[in-house]
Amino acid sequence: MAHEMLPKIVVQQGRLLVDASSGFGMTAVSKVVFHGIFEHDHDLIAGLAVWGGPCLPNAKAMMDCRLKLPCLVRALRFSEFAAPARGFASAGATYFAESNHVAKWGDWHCGENKQEFSGDWQADESSIVEPFLAGGAVRVVVIGDQF
């Protein structure tokens, strides 16, 4: 079964029940492939983590990654792509950049809440600041050890 929006779920006695495709009742599900980031999905991800069944990506890991800025901080410790160094500006602070930079705020992983700037920039929200890299973005998912 597939859902375009977040379905209602129930975890009961180790079973995951999901809104039935017919719209009536709930259906037991044995495996989940979760793809997409939704505005209010943290509770659903937590429910999948409580269930503990086979889920791709791993629901417990998704809980750690759902909040974008803390996830970036965790990922930078392990990434081969930690350079160039990132900056940070608290809400209301002014950040000065001599060249084009991009500020990113909020918890969306999908391209929103970004602003390119150079010179003085005042943050409305706490933001990660990075040098601007021209070009297109490509998302790559690596599963396993061979790629």
Side-chain angles (χ1 to χ4, degrees):
M1 89 175 42
H3 290 274
E4 290 184 23
M5 301 301 292
L6 297 176
K8 292 180 186 137
I9 67 169
V10 171
V11 175
Q12 187 173 5
Q13 298 175 342
R15 292 181 357 143
L16 174 63
L17 305 170
V18 179
D19 278 337
S21 298
S22 66
F24 298 102
M26 302 195 90
T27 301
V29 174
S30 60
K31 297 178 184 174
V32 173
V33 175
F34 183 87
H35 179 71
I37 299 294
F38 297 91
E39 187 171 5
H40 300 290
D41 62 2
H42 202 257
D43 289 346
L44 176 81
I45 294 168
L48 293 173
V50 167
W51 168 55
C55 185
L56 181 69
N58 180 286
K60 290 177 186 166
M62 283 292 292
M63 288 176 57
D64 286 342
C65 289
R66 181 57 187 94
L67 301 178
K68 183 176 72 177
L69 300 181
C71 176
L72 175 63
V73 171
R74 288 182 190 99
L76 288 174
R77 296 183 335 188
F78 304 103
S79 177
E80 296 176 27
F81 307 101
R86 272 73 172 181
F88 179 85
S90 295
T94 300
Y95 190 102
F96 176 77
E98 290 184 13
S99 59
N100 285 4
H101 277 61
V102 62
K104 301 175 181 180
W105 60 90
D107 288 316
W108 286 101
H109 290 264
C110 53
E112 295 183 15
N113 300 327
K114 296 179 183 179
Q115 183 177 357
E116 183 181 351
F117 72 95
S118 62
D120 283 334
W121 177 78
Q122 185 168 3
D124 291 332
E125 298 184 45
S126 294
S127 304
I128 294 292
V129 179
E130 304 172 342
F132 179 78
L133 302 174
V138 176
R139 184 167 298 205
V140 177
V141 177
V142 177
I143 300 174
D145 295 329
Q146 296 182 4
F147 49 92

